[in-house]
Amino acid sequence: GQNIDQPTEMTATEGAIVQINCTYQTSGFNGLFWYQQHAGEAPTFLSYNVLDGLEEKGRFSSFLSRSKGYSYLLLKELQMKDSASYLCAVKGNSGYALNFGKGTSLLVTP
Amino acid sequence: GAVVSQHPSWVICKSGTSVKIECRSLDFQATTMFWYRQFPKQSLMLMATSNEGSKATYEQGVEKDKFLINHASLTLSTLTVTSAHPEDSSFYICSAREGGGRETQYFGPGTRLLVL
C-alpha cells in the first residue's frame, strides 16, 4: 500500500523561508513530485526527484532521501501568492499513476 | 510547461442524468491520461488510468460502469458520469503524461460537478 504524510497546515511570514516535509512508505518508488494547488484550481507542477539530493529551481527547492523515505520542499523569499496547498505525490513501480498525500495548506502572512 | 484543457469547467445537472467531461492535451501527445476526483479539503484520489486505444484501468472502489472513460486519441480522453447522484458532486481533474521518458504529469484546470 501507499502511505504519504505531510503536515496539514503551516504558517510563515512574507520574505521568510519555509520547509514542507513529506514522508512516504510505499510498495515501490519511482519518483516523487511536488505540486502547488490554489483553492479551486488544478495542481501545478513544481518539482520531480527520483535520485537522492537537492533540486533547485529559483525560489523553490526539493530534496529527496530514498533510504529515509523523506522529501522536503523549500520555499525561499516567501510571497503572499505562495499561500496555497502543496501536494507531495509518489510514483510507484506499477504504471505511471501518482499517489498523493493530503496536502499541506500554507498561509503566508504579511 | 505542457497545456492540458478540460471542458466544461463547471456543470450543474439533475440527479439521474449523465455528464461528459473532456480532457485534451493541447501541445503534446499524451500516452497516458489520468482521472482524479477531489472532495473539499481533501487530496486528489486517482479514479482511473487511461491509455490511448485500450480500456481504462480503474482503482479499487471506482465503478467502471458508472464512470465511463474513453481515450480515443493521443490528445483526448473523456469521462462520463452516468446516472449522476448528489454524492458524485466533486471536483474532477484530469492529467496527462507525455511519455517518451518524461515523467511529469500535467493537470487540467478541473471540472466542478454539482448534482442536484
Side-chain angles (χ1 to χ4, degrees):
Chain A
Q2 315 280 359
N3 189 23
I4 302 170
D5 289 316
Q6 314 176 225
T8 305
E9 295 177 337
M10 298 183 73
T11 302
T13 307
E14 190 176 15
I17 299 173
V18 70
Q19 177 174 311
I20 303 174
N21 296 324
C22 172
T23 58
Y24 63 90
Q25 293 175 311
T26 57
S27 55
F29 179 84
N30 205 6
L32 186 144
F33 295 78
W34 283 96
Y35 284 86
Q36 179 192 63
Q37 185 180 27
H38 286 99
E41 299 180 12
T44 304
F45 169 75
L46 291 178
S47 69
Y48 169 61
N49 294 68
V50 67
L51 300 176
D52 290 350
L54 186 68
E55 295 276 345
E56 296 187 76
K57 241 190 218 182
R59 293 191 299 117
F60 292 8
S61 303
S62 57
F63 171 82
L64 175 68
S65 169
R66 288 172 296 171
S67 62
K68 295 182 180 178
Y70 168 70
S71 173
Y72 67 73
L73 179 69
L74 193 71
L75 292 76
K76 304 175 186 174
E77 301 169 17
L78 280 172
Q79 301 174 9
M80 299 297 288
K81 67 178 182 179
D82 296 330
S83 292
S85 183
Y86 291 85
L87 308 176
C88 172
V90 174
K91 187 164 85 71
N93 287 334
S94 176
Y96 300 98
L98 298 180
N99 291 286
F100 282 84
K102 292 187 176 180
T104 298
S105 180
L106 173 67
L107 176 64
V108 179
T109 60
Chain B
V3 179
V4 176
S5 71
Q6 270 184 253
H7 177 81
S9 55
W10 59 269
V11 59
I12 301 173
C13 68
K14 292 182 180 180
S15 186
T17 60
S18 293
V19 175
K20 180 187 278 190
I21 303 170
E22 291 186 349
C23 177
R24 293 181 184 272
S25 56
L26 298 184
D27 52 359
F28 67 100
Q29 293 187 324
T31 307
T32 310
M33 288 184 170
F34 305 88
W35 287 96
Y36 294 85
R37 181 167 52 181
Q38 186 177 35
F39 292 105
K41 297 197 176 182
Q42 295 188 23
S43 192
L44 284 78
M45 296 299 295
L46 179 67
M47 298 176 67
T49 301
S50 169
N51 291 296
E52 185 264 340
S54 63
K55 291 184 179 180
T57 303
Y58 290 80
E59 294 300 300
Q60 193 172 7
V62 178
E63 300 175 58
K64 63 179 181 180
D65 294 330
K66 180 171 180 63
F67 298 99
L68 301 178
I69 292 173
N70 184 281
H71 194 155
S73 75
L74 284 171
T75 59
L76 173 65
S77 176
T78 61
L79 167 69
T80 301
V81 183
T82 62
S83 187
H85 288 98
E87 57 265 31
D88 297 324
S89 299
S90 188
F91 190 43
Y92 291 86
I93 310 175
C94 73
S95 71
R97 174 184 162 270
E98 189 171 5
R102 298 183 180 85
E103 296 298 335
T104 303
Q105 288 184 29
Y106 297 95
F107 284 83
T111 297
R112 196 163 297 281
L113 171 63
L114 177 61
V115 185
L116 302 176

